[in-house]
């Protein structure tokens, strides 16, 4: 049967009620559809089998080659009719060909892809697949040479079946020429037969096997299951390309770098969000200095998602993953939009943004943040890069602007600066931060609460009432410490008064009589073992007024100085320790008599005979007082 008979045999016609329905019989010479075959590939093979070119065959069958390449319905129906394709086989070929669903989108293997991912002037393929096709029918190779649909996908790099890279087969800008596969295969047939396009084996990576399975069956046991293959493959490549900075790949060519990038990206993404965040953080850690910005840290991964896919639905989970890393690493303010996602609340602050928000000095704030553990003390990065959790330290940042210095604090309390310092040193007022070089570190509320507490324990005192004195005056007189008076007033053991003509802490007063009684009671245990200087002098036989005071004042023996329990003025006393140290160094005529059991006159005579004189350094006389070592040298 010649070609004219084949044409008559098809008897193509369009019924008037449905112009898209083709009533025909399949051509007797037609190929069987192959796995992964595209529509232009099937057209090329059926045309070759019937001895004509693909463009002429399309015209003879009543449809346009160009419209078939564009997968228009009428052309597809007529190809299916003459090629004997069932609806299922036609749908399968369409799915491997890629069909436009919009201006820049195509449906491919039940997924949505960007058109540029599938349509490229440079057509790639596996030369071993094509050589196997030729070997299946050497006499008519063009009837077997098949274009596989997965070769079109930009993110596919290797033929898994033959462990061979997809290599460029030809380059044509015009689709009509690019997809005239019969002509194109004819051009490269000699090279295919001679193996000139074949190169070294390329072992498929886990990424390649995953992509092969997703395209074949849609099955996926990774985190990427249910997510767009377009978004997933693009994100793998973009992330992996940035991760190449962590490896030494300078000796790899471009195709090898892309395959490594796909493998690295897939290795991070397939395990889920934690692994993705770990990979992204590794890129953040590479970035420092003044260029610490997301665009620098993530390179094309950031720019492509921000520029090309900020509104692409298929990229939503991947943009979100990158967004999460950005807001966890950079001080993004609430209200900012990151990769299409509005930031409803701030997650991170830097020292700089926190200082700007709180209107505080950044270097003072940095010391506070180090003090509370928000940032590390040895972090040498600029303050714009020193970040911390904004949520955890939100209360702290709210509080910092309200803190005041000593001047504001004592004025708010109605106290003098001296009174405030005394309260601080006695532990009644504690700064928010124990950082002496931070000026504003006090809560006014702490001071006011302290004053309010004392007010509740006080009674009003009019200016005409006598017998009262201020807390600090009482302390100056008794030296008991303001803590004793304030605590006793809190306990209700002494009465606290509040002068009606004053406000704040300075208004508080104490009854002098209660202060005196308290002083006696507080000091009684201290005086229990003390004796006065005069009493000690009588005990050692020296009745010269002031001799012990002068001896201790000159540093020759220790003494205890204490306020008089009743009058408050400082007096000199002798404690048991003072007495013991005195006797270890000195002897008097009275103590010599007791110790050596001889009349003191006899003992004094012996000392005079030995030229031992009373203790009188620098001409200062202290009565019949001798150094023990000089006395013992003579009398023992």
């Amino acid at each position: 049967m010649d070609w004219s008979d084949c044409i008559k045999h098809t008897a193509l016609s369009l019924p008037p009620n449905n112009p898209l329905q083709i009533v025909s019989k399949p051509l007797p010479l037609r190929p069987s559809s192959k796995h992964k075959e595209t529509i232009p590939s099937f057209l090329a093979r059926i045309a070759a089998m019937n001895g004509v070119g693909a463009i002429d065959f399309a015209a003879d069958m009543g449809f346009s080659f160009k419209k078939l390449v564009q997968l228009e319905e009428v052309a597809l129906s007529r190809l299916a009719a003459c090629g004997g394709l069932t609806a299922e086989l036609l749908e399968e070929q369409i799915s491997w060909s890629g069909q436009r669903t919009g201006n820049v989108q195509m449906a491919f293997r039940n997924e949505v892809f960007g058109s540029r991912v599938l349509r490229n002037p440079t057509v790639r393929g596996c030369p071993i697949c094509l050589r196997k096709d030729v070997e299946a029918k050497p006499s008519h190779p063009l009837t077997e040479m098949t274009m596989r649909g997965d070769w079109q996908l930009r993110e596919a790099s290797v033929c898994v079946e033959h462990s061979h890279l997809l290599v460029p087969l030809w380059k044509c800008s015009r689709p009509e020429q690019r997809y005239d596969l019969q002509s194109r295969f004819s051009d490269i047939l000699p090279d295919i037969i001679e193996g000139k396009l074949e190169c070294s084996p390329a072992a498929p990576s886990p990424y390649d096997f995953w992509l092969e399975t997703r395209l074949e069956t849609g099955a996926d046991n990774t985190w990427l299951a249910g997510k767009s293959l377009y978004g997933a493959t693009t994100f793998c490549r973009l992330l992996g390309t940035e991760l190449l900075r962590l490896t030494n790949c300078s000796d790899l060519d471009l195709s090898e770098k892309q395959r490594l990038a796909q493998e690295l990206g897939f290795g991070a993404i397939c395990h889920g969000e934690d692994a993705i965040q770990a990979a992204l953080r590794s890129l953040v850690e590479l970035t420092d200095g003044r260029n610490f910005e997301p665009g620098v840290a993530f390179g094309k991964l950031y720019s492509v998602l921000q520029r090309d896919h900020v509104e692409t639905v298929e990229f939503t989970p991947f943009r979100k993953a990158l967004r999460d890393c950005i807001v966890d690493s950079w001080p993004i303010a609430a209200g900012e939009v990151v990769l299409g996602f509005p930031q409803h609340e701030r997650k991170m602050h830097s020292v700089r943004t926190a200082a700007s928000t709180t209107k505080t000095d950044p270097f003072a704030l940095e010391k506070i943040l180090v003090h509370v553990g928000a940032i590390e003390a040895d972090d040498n990065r600029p303050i714009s890069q020193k970040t911390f959790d904004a949520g955890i330290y939100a209360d702290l940042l709210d509080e910092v602007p309200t803190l005041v210095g000593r001047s504001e604090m004592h004025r708010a309390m109605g106290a003098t600066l001296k009174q405030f310092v005394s309260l601080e040193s006695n532990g009644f007022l504690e700064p928010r931060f124990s950082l002496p070089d931070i000026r504003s570190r006090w809560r006014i509320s702490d001071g006011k609460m302290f004053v309010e507490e004392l007010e509740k324990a006080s009674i009003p005192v009019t200016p005409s009432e006598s017998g009262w004195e201020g807390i600090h005056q009482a302390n100056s007189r008794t030296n008991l410490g303001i803590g004793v008076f304030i605590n006793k007033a809190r306990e209700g053991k002494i009465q606290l008064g509040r002068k009606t003509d004053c406000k704040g802490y300075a208004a508080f007063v104490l009854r002098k009589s209660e202060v005196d009684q308290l002083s006696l009671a507080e000091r009684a245990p201290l005086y229990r073992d003390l004796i006065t200087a005069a009493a000690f002098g009588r005990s050692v036989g020296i009745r010269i007024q002031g001799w012990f005071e002068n001896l201790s004042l000159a540093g020759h023996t220790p003494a205890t100085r204490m306020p008089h329990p009743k009058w408050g003025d400082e007096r000199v006393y002798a404690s048991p320790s003072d007495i013991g140290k005195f006797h270890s160094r000195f002897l008097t005529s009275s103590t010599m008599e007791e110790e050596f059991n001889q009349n003191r006159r006899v003992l004094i005579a012996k000392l005079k005979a030995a030229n031992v004189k009373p203790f009188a350094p620098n001409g200062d006389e202290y009565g019949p007082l001798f150094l023990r070592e000089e006395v013992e040298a003579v009398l023992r």
Side-chain angles (χ1 to χ4, degrees), residues 328-344:
D328 284 342
S329 305
W330 278 269
I332 307 299
E336 290 190 39
V337 178
V338 182
L339 293 172
F341 297 98
Q343 187 66 14
H344 299 297

Side-chain angles (χ1 to χ4, degrees), residues 373-617:
I375 59 177
E376 299 294 332
D378 58 354
D379 190 340
N380 296 320
R381 294 178 300 168
I383 58 175
S384 60
Q385 297 178 28
K386 296 179 182 180
T387 56
F388 58 94
D389 191 300
I392 293 176
Y393 297 98
D395 291 342
L396 170 69
L397 296 182
D398 288 341
E399 185 179 34
V400 165
T402 69
L403 300 178
V404 298
R406 280 182 168 180
S407 297
E408 296 93 332
M409 187 69 167
H410 80 75
R411 285 196 295 267
M413 293 176 60
T416 66
L417 179 59
K418 186 176 180 180
Q419 289 172 338
F420 173 78
V421 171
S422 180
L423 289 170
E424 177 190 357
S425 63
N426 281 272
F428 290 105
L429 295 172
E430 293 186 1
R432 177 64 176 84
F433 312 108
S434 55
L435 297 169
D437 53 343
I438 299 297
R439 178 179 175 275
S440 298
R441 56 195 180 104
W442 300 94
R443 296 187 184 104
I444 284 183
S445 59
D446 289 346
K448 289 184 175 180
M449 287 176 59
F450 176 72
V451 172
E452 289 172 0
E453 179 193 359
L454 295 184
E455 285 178 347
K456 292 178 181 178
S458 66
I459 60 173
V461 176
T462 63
S464 60
E465 294 184 64
S466 60
W468 296 83
E469 63 181 339
I471 296 174
H472 294 262
Q473 290 174 313
N475 180 59
S476 297
R477 187 164 62 83
T478 63
N479 202 33
L480 283 183
I482 65 169
V484 173
F485 297 119
I486 293 176
N487 289 330
K488 293 295 183 183
R490 282 172 163 173
E491 297 167 4
K493 294 182 178 179
I494 60 173
Q495 182 59 63
L496 183 66
R498 183 182 73 259
K499 295 196 294 183
T500 57
D501 58 343
C502 292
K503 291 184 178 181
Y505 179 79
F508 297 121
V509 290
L510 302 168
R511 282 196 176 98
K512 290 183 179 180
S513 59
E514 291 186 344
V515 170
D516 292 340
Q517 292 174 4
L518 181 61
S519 178
L520 287 173
E522 290 289 320
R523 296 189 185 282
L526 299 177
Y527 290 98
R528 185 176 296 125
D529 296 326
L530 299 179
I531 61 174
T532 64
F536 176 64
R538 290 193 296 272
S539 70
V540 296
I542 299 179
R543 299 177 181 274
I544 302 173
Q545 186 174 1
W547 77 275
F548 184 69
E549 292 93 327
N550 295 334
L551 185 69
S552 65
L553 188 62
H556 302 307
T557 193
T560 299
R561 288 170 168 77
M562 296 279 287
H564 190 276
K566 183 175 182 179
W567 310 113
D569 58 321
E570 189 174 76
R571 304 288 178 89
V572 176
Y573 298 88
S575 68
S577 175
D578 299 334
I579 294 171
K581 291 179 180 179
F582 172 84
H583 288 304
S584 68
R585 187 179 185 194
F586 296 108
L587 286 165
T588 66
S589 56
S590 178
T591 59
M592 279 191 292
E593 186 175 55
E594 294 178 5
E595 190 168 328
F596 293 100
N597 198 25
Q598 292 187 29
N599 186 279
R600 69 184 66 181
R601 292 177 180 172
V602 174
L603 296 173
I604 294 297
K606 290 181 179 180
L607 294 176
K608 285 184 178 180
N611 199 29
V612 175
K613 298 179 180 180
F615 180 70

Side-chain angles (χ1 to χ4, degrees), residues 221-433:
N221 60 0
T222 74
W223 177 80
L224 295 165
K227 296 176 176 62
S228 162
L229 189 58
Y230 175 31
T233 54
T234 305
F235 194 69
C236 281
R237 173 173 51 82
L238 292 173
L239 175 58
T241 299
E242 301 306 321
L243 292 176
L244 289 176
R245 289 186 272 148
L246 299 170
T247 67
N248 182 11
C249 58
S250 57
D251 57 337
L252 302 181
D253 61 27
L254 290 178
S255 63
E256 290 172 325
K257 286 182 179 179
Q258 174 164 318
R259 293 200 64 225
L260 179 58
Q262 291 169 329
E263 182 177 357
L264 291 174
F266 177 74
I269 298 170
C270 69
H271 296 297
E273 295 179 358
D274 290 344
I276 295 173
Q277 293 304 317
L280 293 173
R281 284 195 298 272
S282 68
L283 296 175
V284 175
E285 292 170 2
L286 287 180
T287 312
D288 55 17
R290 295 183 178 180
N291 291 325
F292 187 70
E293 296 294 338
V296 176
F298 304 117
K300 285 188 176 180
L301 173 63
Y302 177 84
S303 62
V304 170
L305 293 185
Q306 172 67 25
R307 182 187 65 240
D308 300 337
H309 301 296
V310 73
E311 295 181 354
T312 307
V313 175
E314 291 77 15
F315 284 79
T316 299
F318 308 107
R319 283 188 292 108
K320 182 180 181 299
L322 183 56
R323 185 282 309 265
D324 290 346
C325 182
I326 290 173
V327 299
D328 284 342
S329 305
W330 278 269
I332 307 299
E336 290 190 39
V337 178
V338 182
L339 293 172
F341 297 98
Q343 187 66 14
H344 299 297
E345 61 179 2
R346 181 189 287 276
K347 293 189 67 176
M348 300 296 293
H349 253 308
S350 70
V351 176
R352 181 180 294 282
T353 59
S356 176
T357 301
T358 59
K359 295 181 172 57
T360 56
D361 176 66
F363 299 104
L365 180 61
E366 182 178 4
K367 292 178 181 178
I368 292 173
L369 292 170
V370 169
H371 177 70
V372 300
I375 59 177
E376 299 294 332
D378 58 354
D379 190 340
N380 296 320
R381 294 178 300 168
I383 58 175
S384 60
Q385 297 178 28
K386 296 179 182 180
T387 56
F388 58 94
D389 191 300
I392 293 176
Y393 297 98
D395 291 342
L396 170 69
L397 296 182
D398 288 341
E399 185 179 34
V400 165
T402 69
L403 300 178
V404 298
R406 280 182 168 180
S407 297
E408 296 93 332
M409 187 69 167
H410 80 75
R411 285 196 295 267
M413 293 176 60
T416 66
L417 179 59
K418 186 176 180 180
Q419 289 172 338
F420 173 78
V421 171
S422 180
L423 289 170
E424 177 190 357
S425 63
N426 281 272
F428 290 105
L429 295 172
E430 293 186 1
R432 177 64 176 84
F433 312 108

